[in-house]
């Protein structure tokens, strides 16, 4: 079995929250090369989307491996050191713990890991996003694996006909459930349509049982108990031969759907599919970006990446995202551009409520102010 892991963290932004400094990426690439020659990993590739570094690695240690997670943790400590030396913004932003113990769960860095037996041809797509939350993958995963108007293979390919199982996490109560589609599509949508709380963690084929997709699912704010930037999630999707074709995996991103994130992690904004060269959110720290890195995996080697959104067929999605940004931005601090109060990770409202407690008084004709 081969494991493909993407482990990612924001260890400092250049400039502000817009990009990763090239020196940090160079150190990451060198460390991955060493890890290959030391025999820790089969292959590795370092990349970025916005201010988040992603380590894309193939290995034989399985998911949640202490050695693989420990390697990434140490590497993120090193890139944090560079960020500190250069005075980059938010050095070590996503490293929420002082000491590594076993694996990265609850420590800040995000990870998506997928274990599989390599097929003769193994096309995979690694999606990296910036300025949004893990539930941002819910809509495209539904379209890829459950919407025949998006993925033709659900109708045409006999191996896809039986549908797919979606494993969904409830991030607030730390529990999970599995829904089979198409039979339970409407139940699934009831939950994953609330992406701040319910997040698709993995998808597998009902007819073959193979694992088709895995996402990074956590909420930094739930770990830290305060605003520490957005999670900026990653996702792995395998393609072809009984799974959606590469073009079916990409098709949902031709529509720049709305996600939570953007400026201060506190706004709804469209997600813009971009090439790696354009993966540097600037306007209003957005719009949120997604890049798609395609690889063929052969004997554990990562053949690639191909920069799959570097394609004029996504120009319209980018133009539409810009138009939607113009529209939303004009609403300034008003919902629904600004997130609803319960989803705001800034604690300003709480502080205001305390400061203004004695200025609120009962409305005329009402006995006492409603208790909060
Ligand atoms: P080919 O006929 O080129 O193999 O294409 C099959 C396919 O996957 C198209 O989506
Ligand atoms: P990041 O999560 O990408 O660091 O973004 C934080 C932020 O506040 C952007 O405005
Ligand atoms: Mg940042
Ligand atoms: Mg980021
Ligand atoms: Mg972040
Ligand atoms: Mg072909």
């Amino acid at each position: 079995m081969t494991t493909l892991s993407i482990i990612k963290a924001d260890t400092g932004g250049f400039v502000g929250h817009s990009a990763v400094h090239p020196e940090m990426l160079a150190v990451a690439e060198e460390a991955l090369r060493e890890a290959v020659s030391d025999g820790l990993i089969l292959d590795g590739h370092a990349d970025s989307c916005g201010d988040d570094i992603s380590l894309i690695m193939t290995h034989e240690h399985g998911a949640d491996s202490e050695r693989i997670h420990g390697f990434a943790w140490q590497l993120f400590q090193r890139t944090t050191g560079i960020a500190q030396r250069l005075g980059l913004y938010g050095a070590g932003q996503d490293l929420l713990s002082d000491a590594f113990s076993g694996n990265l769960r609850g420590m800040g860095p995000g990870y998506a890991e997928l274990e599989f037996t390599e097929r003769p041809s193994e096309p995979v797509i690694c999606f990296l996003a910036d300025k949004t939350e893990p539930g941002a993958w819910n809509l495209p995963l539904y379209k890829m694996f459950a919407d025949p108007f998006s993925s033709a293979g659900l109708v045409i390919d006999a191996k896809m006909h039986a549908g797919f199982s979606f494993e969904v996490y409830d991030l607030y109560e730390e529990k999970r459930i599995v829904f089979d589609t198409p039979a339970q599509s409407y139940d699934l949508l009831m939950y994953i349509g609330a992406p701040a709380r319910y997040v698709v963690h993995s998808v597998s084929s009902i007819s073959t049982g193979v694992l088709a997709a895995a996402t990074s699912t956590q909420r930094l704010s739930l770990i830290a108990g305060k605003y520490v930037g957005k999670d900026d999630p990653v996702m792995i999707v395998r393609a072809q031969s009984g799974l959606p074709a590469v073009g079916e995996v990409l098709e949902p991103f031709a529509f720049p759907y709305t996600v939570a994130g953007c400026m201060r992690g506190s706004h709804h904004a469209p997600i813009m599919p971009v090439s790696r060269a354009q993966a540097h959110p600037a306007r209003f720290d957005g719009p949120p970006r997604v890049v798609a890195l395609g690889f063929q995996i052969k004997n554990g080697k990562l053949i690639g990446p191909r920069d799959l959104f570097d394609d004029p067929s996504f120009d319209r999605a980018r133009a539409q995202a810009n138009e939607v940004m113009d529209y939303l931005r004009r609403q300034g601090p008003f919902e629904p551009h600004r997130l609803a109060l319960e989803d705001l990770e800034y604690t300003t409202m709480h502080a205001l409520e305390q400061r203004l407690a004695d200025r609120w008084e009962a409305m005329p004709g009402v006995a006492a102010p409603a208790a909060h």
Side-chain angles (χ1 to χ4, degrees):
M1 292 272 269
T2 305
T3 303
L4 175 60
S5 298
I6 311 179
I7 305 185
K8 53 84 45 187
D10 175 350
T11 59
F14 169 60
V15 172
H17 291 285
S18 63
V20 173
H21 192 279
E23 198 179 320
M24 294 159 83
L25 273 177
V27 162
E29 274 159 16
E30 190 197 301
L32 287 168
R33 274 195 298 273
E34 277 168 21
V36 173
S37 54
D38 293 349
L40 175 65
I41 59 175
L42 298 169
D43 205 356
H45 172 78
D47 223 305
S48 64
C49 183
D51 57 359
D52 293 81
I53 302 179
S54 278
L55 310 173
I56 300 172
M57 299 174 283
T58 46
H59 57 90
E60 290 170 323
H61 303 285
D64 291 311
S65 152
E66 177 162 5
R67 290 185 67 194
I68 298 297
H69 285 209
F71 165 77
W73 180 256
Q74 279 175 16
L75 183 43
F76 291 142
Q77 306 276 354
R78 284 175 65 193
T79 55
T80 296
I82 297 170
Q84 285 166 338
R85 176 163 52 76
L86 300 178
L88 303 181
Y89 195 71
Q93 180 178 286
D94 288 355
L95 309 187
L96 303 180
S97 178
D98 293 330
F100 179 78
S101 57
N103 65 51
L104 289 171
R105 180 178 302 278
M107 299 195 68
Y111 48 97
E113 300 187 287
L114 210 149
E115 277 183 82
F116 54 92
T117 304
E118 208 180 271
R119 298 169 291 172
S121 176
E122 185 63 62
V124 301
I125 303 178
C126 296
F127 291 93
L128 319 177
D130 189 38
K131 303 295 178 275
T132 187
E133 60 184 19
W137 304 128
N138 287 2
L139 185 149
L141 280 171
Y142 183 82
K143 286 181 134 179
M144 287 171 214
F145 291 101
D147 178 4
F149 281 73
S150 192
S151 282
L154 291 167
V155 177
I156 293 173
D157 182 344
K159 281 188 283 185
M160 290 175 67
H161 225 81
F164 290 87
S165 295
F166 288 68
E167 182 193 16
V168 175
Y169 279 15
D170 173 348
L171 297 185
Y172 285 39
E173 295 198 353
E174 299 192 301
K175 53 189 190 183
R176 63 179 183 155
I177 187 168
V178 176
F179 294 103
D180 287 349
T181 61
Q184 299 162 349
S185 297
Y186 300 161
D187 295 344
L188 171 68
L189 286 168
M190 191 65 217
Y191 289 96
I192 67 171
R197 174 166 184 170
Y198 300 100
V199 175
V200 179
H201 180 63
S202 68
V203 180
S204 49
S205 162
I206 290 177
S207 65
T208 65
V210 304
L211 202 52
T215 72
S216 62
T217 27
Q218 53 163 6
R219 278 284 296 267
L220 281 167
S221 64
L222 298 179
I223 299 168
K226 60 178 186 339
Y227 181 67
V228 283
K230 273 291 181 251
D231 285 278
D232 309 327
V234 293
M235 167 167 75
I236 301 168
V237 184
R238 300 167 74 196
Q240 306 286 158
S241 306
L243 302 176
V246 166
E248 289 170 335
V249 174
L250 299 177
E251 176 67 11
F253 296 95
F255 167 60
Y257 59 98
T258 307
V259 297
C262 206
M263 176 57 69
R264 299 169 184 274
S266 304
H267 294 82
H268 287 117
I271 190 161
M272 185 186 258
V274 289
S275 67
R276 293 150 90 207
Q278 296 181 329
H280 310 301
R283 179 187 183 186
F284 203 57
D285 286 3
R289 305 295 157 104
V290 54
V291 297
L293 308 178
F295 295 93
Q296 294 286 157
I297 297 179
K298 190 65 186 172
N299 300 325
K301 289 287 167 200
L302 291 162
I303 315 300
R306 279 225 57 241
D307 191 359
L308 293 163
F309 289 144
D310 185 10
D311 184 313
S313 62
F314 290 96
D315 283 351
R316 291 270 283 271
R318 292 187 271 266
Q320 196 178 16
N322 279 327
E323 254 176 61
V324 172
M325 272 300 275
D326 287 342
Y327 169 84
L328 287 171
R329 279 280 49 238
R330 288 183 64 180
Q331 300 175 52
F334 283 78
E335 298 175 5
H337 181 31
R338 197 185 74 183
L339 296 192
L341 280 182
E342 59 269 27
D343 292 325
L344 270 188
E345 288 161 6
Y346 274 79
T347 49
T348 315
M349 187 60 165
H350 184 65
L352 258 187
E353 287 282 88
Q354 289 186 330
R355 183 154 62 78
L356 301 183
D358 54 1
R359 280 179 48 197
W360 283 97
E361 46 188 285
M363 290 196 320
V366 175
H372 280 275

